[in-house]
Amino acid sequence: MNYTTKAYVAAALVTLSLSTAAIAAEPIKIGVTGPFTGGSAPMGVSMRDGVKLAVADINAKGGVLGRPLQLVERDDEAKNERGVQIAQELINKEKVVGTVGFINTGVALASQRFYQEAKIPVMDNVATGSVVTKQFVAPEFKDNYVFRNAANDTIQSAMIVDEAVIRQKHTKVAILADSTNYGQLGREDLERALGTKGIKPVAVEKYNLKDVDMTAQLLKAKQGGAQVVLTYGIGPELAQIANGMEKLNWRVPIIGSWTLSMGNFIDNAGKNGEGARMPQTFIQDPNTPKRKAFIEAYQKAYKIDRIPSPVSAAQGYDSIYLLAAAIKQAGTTDGVKVREALENLSTTVDGVVTSYNKPYTHDDHEAIKPNMVVIGEVKGGRVILAK
């Protein structure tokens, strides 16, 4: 081999080496979608910010499979049609290997089919509608690409009813739910849970997003003799329920879905929101080293004291670690293999909400079980563990 040939071979090897390194360092794209503006923004922004913290942690330790994680963020504005557009863009244009997010049940139900068709895992880290993980199940579908790490509404509704009927011993119950898919599906879950206790609500009332006066709905509940008001809603309208009760000089307990923990309820309701109770997977309390580190990192990164939606932030953080663990176990970003890894994770994932030990199976895509959820209470402008 002459000098010229050796030079060409050496150059080719260098080029190949550089190309291989470039391929190895190619980012793994992960979509993150949710409402970053509008009434649901406290949930969406908190979720996204939790996701970003997890990605920063993972990348600081070398990424996954030797490649950095790269987020592709999109604001779905809590609109079903926008969610559909984003799903197609993330899959077809951005070539994401998975997506985390979905705050609103309606947006999730409208958008997930594109991930299912593309065989790309999607991790619902906030949307709680019971049907969310059941859109694509057997026998019609062999495999399901929709996973969740949030407490579904079947879990929450049972806890709400137990709190109202068993612990607080109320027998006359009113339900106020918003008109979204989330609110109405949650209402159905509440009515079913009440039915198991032999209780029929004295009033079941609906309100719309952006409603500012709940007088009519609250009067029906009051006139029906309600001893407690159960709520299912996604936005700041929840505060109008508490404030409306004050205007009527009618004070009964408010127990509702996890969204009563959001900052926009606590701040807008003020003293009228004190004592409201709700299921929580995570309370902003540094009661474990992992939670302490997460809370401090969030506060430092975003320069705030109280996380707008602690549940969303923690579940967002954990969703990335679950997806990353599956990609690492699969040894590839191939959607089928990542789904299979999620369904049979061989290592425990140390999360903020909990330590996930085999959180999923082929037929169970719900990471959060009833024993992982607690009841929180609004007290002094924050959520604490209810006693």
Side-chain angles (χ1 to χ4, degrees):
M1 186 182 292
N2 60 34
Y3 175 79
T4 303
T5 303
K6 287 180 179 178
Y8 276 123
V9 171
L13 288 172
V14 170
T15 301
L16 179 61
S17 177
L18 290 172
S19 298
T20 303
I23 292 170
E26 181 184 352
I28 296 173
K29 284 188 173 183
I30 297 174
V32 54
T33 180
F36 307 142
T37 55
S40 295
M43 296 181 281
V45 171
S46 296
M47 177 275 293
R48 179 195 65 193
D49 290 348
V51 164
K52 289 165 72 172
L53 282 180
V55 167
D57 288 349
I58 291 169
N59 284 344
K61 297 173 184 174
V64 181
L65 305 181
R67 298 163 61 184
L69 302 182
Q70 178 183 325
L71 293 176
V72 183
E73 301 176 25
R74 293 292 183 271
D75 179 6
D76 64 31
E77 303 169 27
K79 296 177 180 175
N80 295 3
E81 63 276 14
R82 178 69 181 138
V84 166
Q85 293 169 352
I86 288 170
Q88 294 176 88
E89 178 187 354
L90 291 177
I91 293 166
N92 300 320
K93 181 181 177 183
E94 298 295 342
K95 308 295 183 184
V96 299
V97 304
T99 285
V100 301
F102 290 124
I103 306 299
N104 306 90
T105 293
V107 178
L109 294 175
S111 309
Q112 292 176 160
R113 60 189 175 93
F114 298 100
Y115 293 98
Q116 179 71 19
E117 291 167 0
K119 297 183 178 180
I120 294 174
V122 59
M123 188 76 70
D124 283 86
N125 52 25
V126 179
T128 60
S130 297
V131 72
V132 162
T133 55
K134 295 178 171 58
Q135 274 187 299
F136 311 109
V137 296
E140 187 177 355
F141 298 90
K142 179 184 176 184
D143 299 306
N144 179 8
Y145 285 80
V146 179
F147 295 80
R148 174 160 47 196
N149 65 301
N152 66 49
D153 289 340
T154 301
I155 293 172
Q156 290 192 67
S157 59
M159 291 183 69
I160 292 165
V161 168
D162 280 352
E163 176 67 25
V165 176
I166 304 301
R167 290 187 63 186
Q168 298 190 19
K169 304 188 184 307
H170 299 302
T171 57
K172 294 185 177 181
V173 175
I175 299 174
L176 268 68
D178 73 25
S179 58
T180 66
N181 280 334
Y182 171 73
Q184 291 306 300
L185 290 171
R187 172 192 56 76
E188 292 175 5
D189 284 333
L190 278 178
E191 291 191 85
R192 276 192 289 269
L194 285 168
T196 66
K197 311 294 185 188
I199 293 178
K200 183 176 180 180
V202 297
V204 178
E205 295 297 312
K206 181 166 65 174
Y207 60 89
N208 296 316
L209 297 186
K210 298 183 179 180
D211 279 358
V212 295
D213 186 356
M214 304 291 178
T215 303
Q217 294 93 329
L218 289 169
L219 276 173
K220 289 184 180 178
K222 183 181 180 182
Q223 290 164 358
Q227 301 163 321
V228 61
V229 170
L230 310 185
T231 66
Y232 242 93
I234 61 175
E237 298 80 18
L238 290 166
Q240 302 303 333
I241 295 174
N243 294 338
M245 291 169 69
E246 172 71 12
K247 291 176 185 176
L248 292 175
N249 195 29
W250 181 51
R251 187 62 176 166
V252 297
I254 298 174
I255 307 171
S257 61
W258 75 272
T259 48
L260 285 171
S261 66
M262 289 200 303
N264 60 5
F265 169 76
I266 295 171
D267 293 340
N268 293 333
K271 65 180 180 60
N272 299 326
E274 287 283 297
R277 292 192 170 197
M278 75 301 289
Q280 299 281 272
T281 57
F282 173 75
I283 290 172
Q284 190 177 333
D285 177 13
N287 58 354
T288 69
K290 183 78 174 182
R291 291 181 173 188
K292 183 175 186 292
F294 169 74
I295 292 167
E296 290 176 353
Y298 195 103
Q299 290 171 327
K300 181 179 179 181
Y302 305 112
K303 296 177 173 58
I304 59 171
D305 176 35
R306 190 190 67 197
I307 301 172
S309 177
V311 167
S312 303
Q315 291 171 179
Y317 185 92
D318 286 3
S319 67
I320 288 291
Y321 269 93
L322 287 164
L323 185 57
I327 294 172
K328 180 180 179 181
Q329 180 174 309
T332 176
T333 57
D334 175 74
V336 174
K337 289 183 170 56
V338 173
R339 172 190 57 76
E340 291 173 344
L342 277 168
E343 292 172 342
N344 190 31
L345 283 174
S346 58
T347 58
T348 298
V349 177
D350 187 20
V352 174
V353 170
T354 189
S355 289
Y356 301 89
N357 181 24
K358 295 192 179 301
Y360 305 113
T361 66
H362 182 271
D363 299 321
D364 181 2
H365 284 197
E366 301 279 1
I368 302 300
K369 313 305 181 189
N371 64 349
M372 300 175 186
V373 190
V374 298
I375 294 291
E377 178 181 345
V378 177
K379 188 172 183 179
R382 309 179 82 88
V383 173
I384 64 169
L385 182 66
K387 295 178 181 178

